[in-house]
Amino acid sequence: MQHLRLITPPDRTDDVVGLIEKTVGTTHLAVFPGAARNPVGDVVTCDVAREACDELLGDLRALEIDKCGSIALENIDLSLSDRADKAAEDAPGEGADAVVWEQLTDATHEESTLSLTYVAFLTLATMIAACGVVLDNAILIVGAMAVGPEFGPLAGICTAVVRPAPRLALRSLIALLVGFALAMLVTVGFSYFMDAVGLFTENKLEAERPNTGFVYAPDLFSFVVAVLAGAAGTLSLTSAKSGALVGVAISVTTVPAAANAAVALTYGDMGQTIGSVNQLLLNLLGIALAGTLTLLLQKWLWSGQRERAAQQSAQGLSGGSSRDRP
């Protein structure tokens, strides 16, 4: 269940309440007249099944509540209520399959912003991976993959394509390209420093690296893994199972490839540099493609579920009215 909190102008409260009452899957409706001070208005709260959220939010935005008031949605971790259970049962479709598009757009918007924190995490991850490729240390590579925040902008691009949302697409693309460019540039400087103090050497980079040599040798398996990871990552976002993102992060070689490209560029090894950049681009493409297709498939399947549920509901009402006739 999700908890919905609204601030509505007094002249629109009745419309909002009526909308909530006719939406299947809502319960625990409460109205607090005149409770809001900024902006001035009424406060309306209710609990809504996840599978009913997207339609209700769309109807509320059609009433322009987001412009003249406020719409806030948060997840309920525990709800002990027979009414809530009944609302979830009555709502069409399955909650696990529902995509709350407004929630997804908001989440990806935040994660795809080119902020200092985003650049810092990506840069630190790339430098950790640089140490991993020079030392041929798989543990450092896995750690760097887990730290890297690049899935946020990739998810933003996928969401922007499906919605569509040009501004989100542009914001995500800038965060992705500029973020990696800055991270690799700083890592080049970091590599020069590590070479100066004797911790990085060209011999280590050029030596046999059975644990990390894959980062500059893209192949079909790299693309396949990126596609699978992109699908899994997108599902984890839409189903609010964020724990799966860790597994996604450590299954693709975006950050290690960027790190290897930076270190190789430091020593003038253009073969490894080009191979690493190709690996990076191949993984980014695979994730973006799979994420977009996953969202499109979810949208199509969810639309079908809702149509079937609506037909069954209509048939049930029709059958009930027939039986009620004398």
Side-chain angles (χ1 to χ4, degrees), residues 121-174:
F121 269 114
L122 188 56
T123 301
L124 290 170
T126 307
M127 290 192 292
I128 292 172
C131 296
V133 296
V134 171
L135 297 175
D136 194 34
N137 189 314
I139 295 177
L140 292 177
I141 293 296
V142 171
M145 290 176 175
V147 173
E150 71 278 10
F151 190 80
L154 286 167
I157 292 173
C158 300
T159 304
V161 171
V162 176
R163 288 289 287 174
R167 289 187 178 181
L168 177 59
L170 181 60
R171 176 190 294 268
S172 302
L173 189 61
I174 290 174

Side-chain angles (χ1 to χ4, degrees), residues 174-311:
I174 290 174
L176 196 64
L177 297 181
V178 175
F180 268 111
L182 290 175
M184 292 170 69
L185 182 62
V186 173
T187 303
V188 168
F190 174 71
S191 299
Y192 277 119
F193 170 77
M194 295 294 280
D195 180 77
V197 298
L199 295 177
F200 282 10
T201 65
E202 186 173 2
N203 289 336
K204 290 181 179 179
L205 180 71
E206 301 297 341
E208 282 290 324
R209 289 188 281 147
N211 294 320
T212 60
F214 65 93
V215 299
Y216 60 89
D219 55 19
L220 184 58
F221 274 109
S222 300
F223 184 73
V224 170
V225 171
V227 167
L228 295 175
T234 303
L235 284 173
S236 73
L237 285 179
T238 57
S239 62
K241 296 184 182 297
S242 57
L245 281 177
V246 178
V248 172
I250 61 177
S251 62
V252 291
T253 56
T254 49
V255 167
N260 198 83
V263 177
L265 185 62
T266 302
Y267 291 111
D269 187 338
M270 298 310 297
Q272 284 200 38
T273 300
I274 294 174
S276 300
V277 171
N278 288 339
Q279 179 77 278
L280 172 62
L281 295 176
L282 188 66
N283 276 266
L284 293 177
L285 175 63
I287 294 172
L289 179 62
T292 301
L293 292 176
T294 300
L295 287 178
L296 288 171
L297 180 60
Q298 285 184 286
K299 188 175 183 179
W300 177 72
L301 290 174
W302 178 245
S303 177
Q305 278 193 28
R306 291 193 64 86
E307 288 181 4
R308 288 192 296 272
Q311 291 174 358

Side-chain angles (χ1 to χ4, degrees), residues 1-21:
M1 295 293 289
Q2 307 283 310
H3 182 67
L4 183 65
R5 186 186 71 249
L6 308 169
I7 296 178
T8 67
D11 61 339
R12 301 195 187 186
T13 300
D14 288 342
D15 293 336
V16 169
V17 170
L19 178 62
I20 293 174
E21 288 179 334

Side-chain angles (χ1 to χ4, degrees), residues 57-89:
L57 290 175
D59 291 339
L60 289 170
R61 295 196 67 176
L63 291 175
E64 297 187 338
I65 301 303
D66 55 322
K67 296 178 180 178
C68 60
S70 171
I71 302 174
L73 183 71
E74 58 185 350
N75 186 59
I76 299 177
D77 294 326
L78 177 64
S79 179
L80 302 177
S81 166
D82 289 343
R83 287 182 176 270
D85 295 340
K86 182 68 165 53
E89 291 176 3

